[in-house]
Every structure is written in C-alpha cells, then in structure tokens.
Amino acid sequence: MDKLVIEGGTPLSGTIRIHGAKNAALPIMAASLLAEGVHSLHNVPKLLDIETMLNILERLGCRGTHENETVTIDTSMLATSHVPEDLMRQMRSSIFLMGPLLARFGEVTIYQPGGCAIGERKIDLHLEGLKLLGTEIEENNGCIHCRAAKLTGADIHLDYPSVGATENIMMAAAMAEGTTTISGAAREPEIQDLQNYLNQMGAEIMGAGTDTITIRGVRKLTACTYEVIPDRIVAGTVMIAAAATRGSVTLTHTNATHLNSLIHVLRRAGVQITVCNDIINVSCMGRPRAVERIVTSPYPSFPTDLQSQVMVLLALADGFSVIKETVFEGRFKHVEEMARMGADISTDLNRAFIRGVQRLYGATVEATDLRAGAALVIAGLAAQGTTVVEQAHHIDRGYDGIEKLFQKLGARISRKVPVPGPLDLAN
C-alpha cells in the first residue's frame, strides 16, 4: 500500500483552491439515475470514492467519464437495478443508489455497504423511510431487495438527522405521487446541494438546510449540468494544518458559512481568521490555546469529520482540552497513533482528554480511516523529524492527492508507492 513520508516543522504558507465536496458529489451522481440523458457535473474531485461510484454506474449500464474535474454520466442505457455486491462493500455511499433506482425501476437490490470502520452506521432509517413511501423490503443474509409498484408521498419523521437517509428519501420521493414531508431532517450543506441539483432537473423540493423538507413529486426529471459545492471538510483540514504548523494560508473557492463551527473553535484557540466572499485567510504565529470543550454533533454543530484533525491542534496547545464524540463510537483510533508521536491524550468511552505538549515527534503511524489519516498527516507536518503515514489509500477516499495539496503550501511531503515484487508481477 502507498505511504506518505513527511519532513515536518515547516510552517505552511501560500494560497490553495479547495476542490469540490465528495459528500455532495456522490449523492448527486446517484441522483443522475432519476433522469434519462447526459448529465454533466463540474467541480468533482478525483477521488477513490468518486471512481468507485462511477464504476458502479457503469456496471448498471451507464456510460461515464471523469476528466478535468468534470464527470459526465449518460444514463440512457441504464439496464439493471441490481447493484454489484463487490463494489457496494467498497464504499458506504453506494447506499445512495437505493432511492433513485427504486424510483426509476420500481425495484432495487443492494447489499449492506462498506466504508471506513469508524463505528456502527445502520441503514434502518433509510429502509423505514422507503417503507412509508410504499416500498416492500425483503432482507436475506445481507442482501436487501426493495419493490414498489408505486411510490406515494408520505409524512416521514426521522428519529435522528441522518444525512444518508434524508438524501435517499428525497431522491425516492422526487418522482413519487403526491407530497412527502421529512421532519427531523439533516441540515448539512450537502443536502442543500442535492436539493438544488434535483430542482435543476425539474423536481419541486424546498426546505433543505432546515429540519423540515417538502418534496412535491413530479412525473419526469431531465438531465442537466451542475457545479458541486466546495468541500468544507477539506477546507477545514487545511485551516487546521495551517494553524498546527504556525503558518499563514489563504483558501479560495470556499464557503465560510459552512465552516462556522470550526471558525469559532479556531478563534477560541487563538487562530487569526479573516473571511472575504469565498476567500478565507488563516494564520497562527504562536502556540495555540487550549479549548475547554468541543462536542461533535450533526450540522450546524462541530462536525465529526473534523474531530480527529482539530485534536492534533489541541495536542500542541497550551493547556487542557476535552473533545466529546457523539456521532461515531470508533472515531478515536488515531489517538494511539498520535501517542507514538508524543501526544498526551487519554480516552474514556466517547471523550478524549488532551494535555497539550510543546512539540510532536516524527514516527511511523497507520491511517486507520479517512479522517484519522488526515489528522496524522497534519501531525506529521507539525512534528519535528520524519513521519511515515502508512495505509494512505484511506486518505485518498476524501482528498484529491493530499500530498500535492500540501506541497503547494510548501510542505515537505511525498508519496511512496511500493515496487511490485516477483510474486506480485506473476499474479
């Protein structure tokens, strides 16, 4: 597997453009199945998950290309609603195909999805929502078959603001007969982006960004061209890395309103941040301050996807900080790896207690999941000496060449690709 080698201790400096949001692009790519024709999606990053989704769409009969941050999907040859099990197990976001395929074919067969091992992520809310729209569901040994002679609008309440369930129900209901109301809906910017895309296709959806979304079903949707929003998690990762290395970085093509909770935390830590339109300037010339308490929670609260990264900053801060993780129970796997680098962090169930140290030291560490891997890269950039981050393929799921991104800001980071041995070549 690829590894990243980092010579730490260089403050990041310069300007970087933030690429499109993976978590917006994936459901939008799935939603393209709702309308026959050629869809053109701009600002789509070159990521492992994006390529996996494109592979799935091609296996379903679509034709797709990904060139220069533009994904083109021709859905006119869509031939099956049976999603391949091998590809589903590679990526959790494949679950987004359930709603649009059900709406297009009246049935869909899927399997329990894979993805990062960061804790239990049930799909019960997806299934319950689809049942209320008139879907019959059969489950057998991890295989899920959904059938609906006709989807009918319904009032659906989500006991938890699940992003995936909200989006799946939106897509299924877009062409259902009648009106669907989702209360307790997730409020993430990516859901607003999906609403905007569906509406551009001819859907009638309102309320995304609030906890109540209303979908008036339409008979037909048409293919369109659309630009995906910038990735707030990538932007947040760069902002935290700039602060952790005591650098000064300008981010372009961002949306600061999507990052309000992070900006609030960074300012509490003594980081200087200025915002002008889609540009964010971040600088931190001295040692950051501890932040007494951070609690992860669904948007607009502090995102779980930035928890591991901000922990690196707090590990270098002056004082004692506490992070409470309320979304995923497996989100502290990076703590043990950071301890190898000299961090003073202890955990108790869903809380991490961080006593800031003067510096971190380079070590060989392992990326256990996407965001943990990003955190270890930040730690390596800030550390004294050489850090090797193994299992870099996890990081590639969410960052379009993270080493190239930080190289543009002056970081000494490179990727090492293993040389195939005789047995590998024989196979």
Side-chain angles (χ1 to χ4, degrees), residues 9-16 238 241-243 245-251 281-285 381 404-412:
T10 301
L12 297 183
S13 177
T15 300
I16 193 78
V238 174
T245 60
R246 302 188 188 183
S248 180
V249 170
T250 298
L251 294 77
N281 296 102
V282 183
S283 63
C284 186
M285 298 298 103
L381 294 172
K404 296 176 183 176
L405 183 154
F406 285 124
Q407 284 169 3
K408 292 176 182 177
L409 298 175
R412 294 177 293 175

Side-chain angles (χ1 to χ4, degrees), residues 328-362:
F328 294 123
E329 71 274 13
R331 266 272 155 92
F332 286 155
K333 293 183 178 179
H334 56 287
V335 170
E336 183 177 343
E337 301 303 304
M338 287 179 60
R340 302 177 194 274
M341 304 179 71
D344 185 357
I345 306 171
S346 60
T347 61
D348 176 20
L349 298 177
N350 65 343
R351 291 181 299 173
F353 306 94
I354 307 132
R355 193 177 302 278
V357 296
Q358 287 284 348
R359 62 181 57 85
L360 298 174
Y361 299 91

